[in-house]
Structure formats: structure tokens, C-alpha cells
Amino acid sequence: MTAGDTAIESITIQTSPEAVYDAIADVSRMPSWSPELKSVRVPYDGPLKFGDVFAGVNKKGIQVWRTTSKVTKSEAPKVFEIEVTGLRLPVSTWRYEIEPVA
């Protein structure tokens, strides 16, 4: 991917939108889901809210890098979005849109 590219993925999870949102917004859980994200430092336990900032440590092979992320949308239980920076430069935006299904 190059700068400005967008990747979109969709999955169905058999639980409530509130439970999905709470899991995603509790970013302390992210290292258990990501092969690169090794740890995060969060301001408090539980789901983060708009404006909260947290730090991450990533590792792939011998490469290790730190990131800072800011919650840019927090609309429970529908949307959770973070902007990730590294060395004060934009890296990516992660946006989770949660919709109930029958």
C-alpha cells in the first residue's frame, strides 16, 4: 500500500454491538489481536473516549518502533476511530464501524 490507500474488511461477530464496541475501544486488548503490536500504554482501564491518547510498541522481525495514537471518533456503539503517528508523522487511521445484523 502507498500513502492515501484504503483497506476495508468486514466480519460478522455474533454478539451485541455494545460488546464489540467495548472490546475495540479497550485498546489495552489490541496486542492480543495483532502480530506486530507488542504493548500499549493507556491513560486508564476500559474503553477509551474521544481525545484520549495512548502509546504503542510494535515489532516485526528485528525492527521495533513506537507509535502514538489519538481517539478521533468515539460514538458508542457505532464508530471507534484512532489516528496513529510515529515520529510525529501520520502513519494510519483505523476506523471501526459497527452495525447490528439479523
Side-chain angles (χ1 to χ4, degrees):
M1 294 182 80
T2 60
D5 285 350
T6 299
I8 298 172
E9 185 61 46
S10 176
I11 63 171
T12 300
I13 301 172
Q14 293 188 2
T15 192
S16 71
E18 292 81 9
V20 173
Y21 182 91
D22 287 347
I24 292 168
D26 183 357
V27 300
S28 67
R29 299 174 67 177
M30 284 185 173
S32 66
W33 303 327
S34 170
E36 289 182 359
L37 182 60
K38 298 304 175 190
S39 66
V40 294
R41 190 177 71 237
V42 296
Y44 52 84
D45 291 336
L48 298 186
K49 295 176 179 53
F50 177 80
D52 287 340
V53 176
F54 63 98
V57 176
N58 299 271
K59 184 175 190 289
K60 185 174 185 178
I62 62 169
Q63 201 173 24
V64 177
W65 66 99
R66 298 180 186 279
T67 59
T68 301
S69 299
K70 182 176 183 176
V71 178
T72 51
K73 288 216 187 296
S74 175
E75 300 170 8
K78 297 178 181 182
V79 179
F80 185 76
E81 180 182 274
I82 59 174
E83 290 182 356
V84 183
T85 60
L87 301 173
R88 297 185 183 165
L89 298 172
V91 172
S92 62
T93 299
W94 290 79
R95 181 180 176 93
Y96 301 88
E97 296 181 3
I98 302 152
E99 299 176 5
V101 294

